[in-house]
Amino acid sequence: QVQVVESGGGLVQAGGSLRLSCAASGSIVSIYSMEWHRQAPGKQRELVAGITNGGTTTYADSVKGRFAISRDNAETTVYLQMNSLKPEDTAVYYCNAVKRFPRRVYWGQGTQVTVSS
């Protein structure tokens, strides 16, 4: 089992910045990637950014150039630096850890990000 805990959400004005953290613990040896997703009210959950154990990153088009995903040297914590925030970035942000063979996805409880205009 893998436990995933997010932190760092909050209320920020448009144009501001926030940094989210996601810590994985437990059986972390075979984690392949960690991802940030978000879900706004009335909308489907969407991928925001991801990073593999090889360091490959991926971003949603809507956040490219504004958000950056990174991880610590122990590869147990990932961060999402969010700059130039917009009201449409308001959502609950969820982190997950992904294992392959067999595929397992472990989700955190989410953290609220609210961007005021």
Side-chain angles (χ1 to χ4, degrees):
Q1 281 286 358
V2 177
Q3 293 76 46
V4 177
V5 179
E6 305 100 331
S7 61
L11 172 64
V12 64
Q13 289 188 330
S17 299
L18 279 176
R19 188 174 85 151
L20 306 182
S21 298
C22 172
S25 61
S27 179
I28 63 172
V29 172
S30 55
I31 290 176
Y32 169 71
S33 66
M34 294 183 70
E35 302 170 341
W36 284 99
H37 295 242
R38 67 185 180 188
Q39 188 166 19
K43 294 188 177 181
Q44 288 189 326
R45 191 173 297 191
E46 62 175 354
L47 175 67
V48 176
I51 186 166
T52 69
N53 56 8
T56 300
T57 58
T58 186
Y59 295 95
D61 287 343
S62 59
V63 306
K64 282 181 181 176
R66 300 189 298 123
F67 291 11
I69 190 169
S70 61
R71 62 184 181 185
D72 68 351
N73 289 336
E75 301 181 14
T76 59
T77 302
V78 295
Y79 305 97
L80 186 67
Q81 178 66 43
M82 306 186 294
N83 299 325
S84 302
L85 283 161
K86 304 175 181 180
E88 50 264 44
D89 294 318
T90 295
V92 178
Y93 283 70
Y94 297 91
C95 179
N96 72 24
V98 180
K99 291 188 176 185
R100 301 192 296 178
F101 315 125
R103 179 176 172 83
R104 293 283 187 271
V105 183
Y106 303 90
W107 290 93
Q109 80 289 349
T111 185
Q112 177 71 47
V113 172
T114 303
V115 184
S116 63
S117 57

